[in-house]
Amino acid sequence: QVQLVESGGGLVQAGGSLRLSCAASGSTFSINVMGWYRQAPGKQRELVARIFSSGATYVADSVKGRFTVSRDNAKNTVYLQMNSLKPEDTAVYYCHLENFGRPSDYWGQGTQVTVSS
């Protein structure tokens, strides 16, 4: 089993910053590909960023230049540093063990990020 717990969400004004954390347990974290997703009301869940075992990253065009994903394997934790936040970034943010079609699917509980204008 894998457990993922997000933290760090909150209310912030436009232009502000937040750092989300996702603590993982129950898996070989260092070889897992981890993703950050977000879901706003009435919208589909979308991939925001992904970090591979090598440390290589992917970030969505909508957040490129503003968000950075990183991982600390010693702490079994993945981070999403969010800078220059915009109201359209408002969503529930989830971390995910990227399964790439494997039958198992592990998500965190989500953390709310609200950006006021």
Side-chain angles (χ1 to χ4, degrees):
Q1 288 188 341
V2 175
Q3 292 181 321
L4 304 172
V5 180
E6 301 100 330
S7 62
L11 175 64
V12 66
Q13 291 186 327
S17 298
L18 287 172
R19 188 176 80 157
L20 306 184
S21 299
C22 175
S25 63
S27 69
T28 307
F29 179 81
S30 63
I31 64 172
N32 291 147
V33 181
M34 303 298 297
W36 283 101
Y37 293 74
R38 67 186 182 187
Q39 188 166 25
K43 294 186 176 181
Q44 293 186 346
R45 189 170 298 186
E46 64 175 339
L47 175 65
V48 175
R50 177 181 284 147
I51 185 164
F52 297 86
S53 301
S54 65
T57 61
Y58 161 85
V59 293
D61 287 343
S62 59
V63 303
K64 190 171 295 182
R66 300 188 297 118
F67 290 13
T68 303
V69 61
S70 61
R71 65 194 299 160
D72 185 340
N73 290 336
K75 294 184 176 182
N76 288 352
T77 301
V78 62
Y79 304 95
L80 185 67
Q81 179 66 47
M82 306 186 296
N83 298 325
S84 302
L85 283 162
K86 303 175 180 179
E88 51 263 44
D89 296 319
T90 295
V92 178
Y93 284 71
Y94 301 88
C95 66
H96 180 245
L97 195 162
E98 301 285 73
N99 58 332
F100 299 110
R102 291 174 294 178
S104 57
D105 196 17
Y106 298 102
W107 294 87
Q109 83 286 354
T111 185
Q112 177 71 48
V113 171
T114 302
V115 184
S116 64
S117 60

